[in-house]
Amino acid sequence: MQVDEPVRLPRLSRVAVCGGTHGNELSGVYLVREMLKPENRKEDGGPASLLMLLSNPRAVQQCTRYVDTDLNRCFTHATLNGPASEGAPYEIFRARELNNLLGPKGSRAAVDLICDLHNTTANMGLCFIAYSDCDWVCLHIFRHLQKQMPDTPMRFIHFDVSTKESYSLDSIGKHGFAMEIGPQPHGCVKSNIYTAMREGVQHMRDWVSCFNSGCVFEGGPVDVFTMVKNVDYPRDGETRNITAAIHPRLQDRDFCLLRPGEPLFQTFSGETVKYQGDEALYAFFINECAYYEKGIALSLARKRRVTVPSIHVQTDEEE
Amino acid sequence: MQVDEPVRLPRLSRVAVCGGTHGNELSGVYLVREMLKPENRKEDGGPASLLMLLSNPRAVQQCTRYVDTDLNRCFTHATLNGPASEGAPYEIFRARELNNLLGPKGSRAAVDLICDLHNTTANMGLCFIAYSDCDWVCLHIFRHLQKQMPDTPMRFIHFDVSTKESYSLDSIGKHGFAMEIGPQPHGCVKSNIYTAMREGVQHMRDWVSCFNSGCVFEGGPVDVFTMVKNVDYPRDGETRNITAAIHPRLQDRDFCLLRPGEPLFQTFSGETVKYQGDEALYAFFINECAYYEKGIALSLARKRRVTVPSIHVQTDEEE
């Protein structure tokens, strides 16, 4: 019987942890501020250099999601490289600054790994959100956190979008993912959510140190939720105001399987609106407050099992 | 043995239900919109006229708490009657409009009862918030809701502030209270919170109809939480940023008794900060997101039992 050799992957020399990409998602804001304190900046013995930053300082200052436009939709190739007029939104300028600092996106100069910290009002536990379901680095870090934090509900979400069209800050690193933790109201800090994020980031750093220093990580299965579609709230034809909320039987049940005919919304006059789709899918981002303006009441995903190979860092000669 | 005669109180001819005093507290916004629909405006047989309105339409439009300043702090005598300069905050003008419509505060022309609808991110269930602990109308309505909605945690909060200094919208009615329901993130609607508010408002309307048509309401005890003081988060001396969150043992435990020496905060580096007061008090508005800017991490109250007398509407001759 043949044992597969571990896949050899390049060292992760430069890692970035970003908070405040949305200025009112406060766990990441306070965690990055804490990590930036001089007494916490001592090297942890790992060979990776760690860059920490607040992505949208103006929005953080105002405790709003963004100032002019959603920063975390500004990292497409088109927005980063198109012409920028004088009166362009602040976030477009800031996206280009961040691309210079951490990218350029798609280049050899880009940082090796970006972990971008987010909160959601949805009851999603701790999620990794990434554009690839075969980025072994992200998937191994996810497996490591699952093992280290067995009491924290944890899922891996895959947005099936091409590199060119990927739009979020983490897409400018060679590897990258958003660490999304909820439920927490925006503009609020809850200890348990903050602590989960702090532990998650520490375990990620430990994993990177261990990987760089030559540990072999055994492969295995990971359940991946691949985004299929978004569903909007029922709305008034004229005013576009929503006319229903998430049904109480679905609220807070992120990652449950939603079957055709099951309750989806409850109108403000009390009627139930059922899910009309013809495929059972997994619901997530249920009632994320910041998505009302995007026309998203919840997202739906298909689940499948991905087998992750064992990995090992490349030696200097291989690089 | 002498049986006390019911206290006779004037008819409640004009009742106002207000939503969107804070534009991102959405249960009240959607409930008022629903109640304003032509098909829902048919008279319910009660003799009271019902006025429904969105208090801060500009903030509702933007889905923010306020545009320039907190509307619900603008109803003091000083702010309503002081000089208004050209560039004064929008909310000061709006407060005066509302005072003309529903007041004037302290006058015979004021509406008889104002119920102002609010949400909180704190886990407070359904609360009445009022400036009096001997307003028998408000206390009887509260008792009625307690009886009709036995599964909803319900408390009566008393802010011990003089009429002159009372600052909130409900203070311009002859009787008034805020109906505060949580937990719900601001900018979000949750079905269960919306439904509790809808039922609460309907039971209030039923009670007013019944009172006006001559029902006698038996007296009895009510537990009243009288606000004693607010407690701020620990903050950095220089930046004024908060340096700790509510301790996980206290978070979401609104109306628990906080004893001296018990955990109050957890700093972002993980240490516990204990409650230093010398009196055990009841904690509420724990981690209300909109109060970070006001320097309030939680409020503390004393609980006492108030005996409410039986009441009966005055006859026409008595009025």
Side-chain angles (χ1 to χ4, degrees), chain B residues 232-308:
Chain B
D232 194 11
Y233 295 93
R235 289 183 189 263
D236 182 90
E238 203 174 316
T239 63
R240 304 307 298 151
N241 290 328
I242 67 171
T243 56
I246 296 290
H247 195 279
R249 279 183 51 190
L250 185 59
Q251 176 69 47
D252 296 330
R253 293 192 53 234
D254 294 75
F255 299 101
C256 73
L257 189 61
L258 180 68
R259 296 180 184 84
E262 287 185 340
L264 182 56
F265 297 110
Q266 190 173 63
T267 70
F268 294 131
S269 49
E271 290 98 52
T272 293
V273 178
K274 293 179 176 171
Y275 171 50
Q276 300 287 343
D278 48 16
E279 179 186 359
L281 293 167
Y282 294 86
F284 67 105
F285 272 131
I286 296 175
N287 205 2
E288 160 53 46
C289 151
Y291 289 178
Y292 283 50
E293 66 176 26
K294 297 186 195 293
I296 302 174
L298 74 165
S299 300
L300 294 171
R302 242 173 243 127
K303 181 165 79 168
R304 67 192 190 86
R305 186 151 284 192
V306 170
T307 301
V308 181

Side-chain angles (χ1 to χ4, degrees), chain A residues 282-303:
Chain A
Y282 293 86
F284 67 106
F285 273 129
I286 296 175
N287 205 1
E288 159 53 46
C289 155
Y291 289 177
Y292 283 51
E293 67 176 25
K294 296 187 195 292
I296 301 174
L298 74 165
S299 300
L300 294 171
R302 244 174 241 126
K303 183 165 79 168

Side-chain angles (χ1 to χ4, degrees), chain A residues 223-273:
Chain A
D223 284 337
V224 170
F225 291 86
T226 299
M227 223 280 260
V228 174
K229 62 177 172 183
N230 297 317
V231 180
D232 194 11
Y233 295 94
R235 290 183 189 260
D236 181 270
E238 204 174 315
T239 64
R240 306 305 299 151
N241 290 329
I242 66 170
T243 57
I246 295 290
H247 196 280
R249 279 182 53 190
L250 185 59
Q251 177 68 48
D252 296 330
R253 293 190 54 235
D254 295 73
F255 299 101
C256 74
L257 189 61
L258 180 67
R259 294 181 186 83
E262 287 184 340
L264 181 56
F265 298 109
Q266 189 172 63
T267 71
F268 293 131
S269 50
E271 290 97 54
T272 293
V273 177

Side-chain angles (χ1 to χ4, degrees), chain A residues 10-76:
Chain A
R11 178 182 303 274
L12 303 166
S13 304
R14 293 164 64 225
V15 175
V17 175
C18 307
T21 302
H22 295 132
N24 59 1
E25 300 181 8
L26 296 189
S27 304
V29 170
Y30 284 107
L31 181 58
V32 166
R33 280 185 179 150
E34 186 65 24
M35 291 165 69
L36 283 170
K37 284 185 179 171
E39 63 267 32
N40 296 332
R41 300 207 64 170
K42 56 185 183 295
E43 289 301 314
D44 59 355
S49 84
L50 184 70
L51 198 65
M52 288 163 296
L53 56 88
L54 289 180
S55 319
N56 194 337
R58 287 198 198 171
V60 169
Q61 183 65 31
Q62 297 175 27
C63 197
T64 55
R65 183 173 175 89
Y66 54 79
V67 177
D68 293 323
T69 191
D70 190 337
L71 175 63
N72 214 32
R73 300 296 178 273
C74 290
F75 296 92
T76 59

Side-chain angles (χ1 to χ4, degrees), chain B residues 23-313:
Chain B
N24 59 1
E25 299 180 10
L26 296 189
S27 303
V29 170
Y30 285 107
L31 181 58
V32 167
R33 280 185 180 150
E34 186 66 23
M35 291 166 70
L36 283 170
K37 284 185 180 172
E39 63 267 33
N40 296 331
R41 302 209 61 171
K42 56 184 181 299
E43 289 302 315
D44 60 355
S49 84
L50 184 71
L51 198 66
M52 288 162 298
L53 57 87
L54 289 180
S55 319
N56 194 336
R58 285 198 199 170
V60 168
Q61 182 65 33
Q62 297 174 27
C63 198
T64 55
R65 183 172 175 87
Y66 53 79
V67 176
D68 293 324
T69 191
D70 190 337
L71 175 63
N72 213 31
R73 300 297 179 273
C74 291
F75 295 92
T76 59
H77 271 288
T79 304
L80 291 174
N81 303 310
S85 58
E86 187 82 13
Y90 162 68
E91 276 83 3
I92 292 192
F93 289 104
R94 182 61 181 155
R96 291 169 182 211
E97 276 180 9
L98 291 166
N99 190 43
N100 288 336
L101 192 65
L102 304 176
K105 177 169 175 167
S107 77
R108 283 179 60 91
V111 297
D112 296 301
L113 174 64
I114 296 178
C115 168
D116 191 31
L117 305 173
H118 288 265
N119 292 120
T120 172
T121 61
N123 185 25
M124 282 168 58
L126 189 158
C127 291
F128 277 38
I129 304 179
Y131 293 107
S132 169
D133 59 356
C134 57
D135 182 321
W136 308 138
V137 165
C138 293
L139 284 158
H140 266 284
I141 295 173
F142 178 75
R143 277 166 55 84
H144 181 67
L145 265 65
Q146 275 190 314
K147 201 154 83 185
Q148 299 296 321
M149 302 167 69
D151 297 334
T152 303
M154 222 173 278
R155 281 91 171 193
F156 194 100
I157 299 170
H158 165 221
F159 278 18
D160 192 9
V161 169
S162 71
T163 306
K164 199 175 149 194
E165 287 172 330
S166 61
Y167 46 75
S168 58
L169 173 57
D170 48 85
S171 74
I172 62 180
K174 292 199 186 78
H175 307 270
F177 62 91
M179 186 185 289
E180 179 84 68
I181 316 190
Q184 182 175 269
H186 300 315
C188 219
V189 201
K190 289 194 164 189
S191 269
N192 60 334
I193 304 288
Y194 174 86
T195 301
M197 187 175 277
R198 191 176 60 174
E199 290 179 10
V201 169
Q202 188 55 52
H203 290 308
M204 176 205 67
R205 293 174 66 182
D206 293 346
W207 186 92
V208 170
S209 293
C210 195
F211 172 78
N212 283 345
S213 52
C215 303
V216 174
F217 290 94
E218 296 298 328
V222 174
D223 284 336
V224 170
F225 291 86
T226 298
M227 222 280 259
V228 174
K229 62 178 172 184
N230 297 317
V231 179
D232 194 11
Y233 295 93
R235 289 183 189 263
D236 182 90
E238 203 174 316
T239 63
R240 304 307 298 151
N241 290 328
I242 67 171
T243 56
I246 296 290
H247 195 279
R249 279 183 51 190
L250 185 59
Q251 176 69 47
D252 296 330
R253 293 192 53 234
D254 294 75
F255 299 101
C256 73
L257 189 61
L258 180 68
R259 296 180 184 84
E262 287 185 340
L264 182 56
F265 297 110
Q266 190 173 63
T267 70
F268 294 131
S269 49
E271 290 98 52
T272 293
V273 178
K274 293 179 176 171
Y275 171 50
Q276 300 287 343
D278 48 16
E279 179 186 359
L281 293 167
Y282 294 86
F284 67 105
F285 272 131
I286 296 175
N287 205 2
E288 160 53 46
C289 151
Y291 289 178
Y292 283 50
E293 66 176 26
K294 297 186 195 293
I296 302 174
L298 74 165
S299 300
L300 294 171
R302 242 173 243 127
K303 181 165 79 168
R304 67 192 190 86
R305 186 151 284 192
V306 170
T307 301
V308 181
S310 301
I311 66 170
H312 188 199
V313 72

